[in-house]
Amino acid sequence: MRKPASRTACAAASSSTVEAINANPAAYAPLLAEKANLNEAIASDYPVSTYPAALRDGRPAYPKDSMVQPVLTWMAESGYGGNVSYDEATGALTQ
């Protein structure tokens, strides 16, 4: 059963978290170091990534092709999934 309201609520929560991290990645470095159990020798220099939002203007914001294609290429080269294509407009993967 599909639950669009739940999916939208989850995406909204994800987007607000992404906005907070992207606005000040360094503020989240201690949390990353703790939760990822980073070695103290690298924790202070370990970069905090930025992330794409799950929603854009209240609608799903699918990852850019430039983010997905390297993964699909690696999967195909490693024998996982075969020849899969990605549609950035819909987020659909097709084989």
Side-chain angles (χ1 to χ4, degrees):
M1 175 189 280
R2 292 185 170 217
K3 304 220 179 225
S6 297
R7 191 170 52 238
T8 301
C10 182
S14 173
S15 287
S16 65
T17 302
V18 163
E19 287 174 14
I21 292 170
N22 290 350
N24 188 2
Y28 293 88
L31 181 63
L32 171 66
E34 175 191 341
K35 298 300 181 184
N37 198 25
L38 294 178
N39 184 297
E40 289 181 22
I42 65 165
S44 64
D45 295 324
Y46 199 85
V48 178
S49 298
T50 56
Y51 302 92
L55 293 176
R56 193 173 299 120
D57 299 324
R59 301 181 52 80
Y62 301 109
K64 301 248 181 245
D65 185 65
S66 61
M67 293 179 71
V68 176
Q69 196 55 52
V71 176
L72 296 179
T73 299
W74 174 87
M75 289 177 64
E77 290 172 353
S78 300
Y80 301 107
N83 187 20
V84 178
S85 62
Y86 174 68
D87 181 349
E88 186 176 318
T90 65
L93 295 168
T94 56
Q95 191 167 14

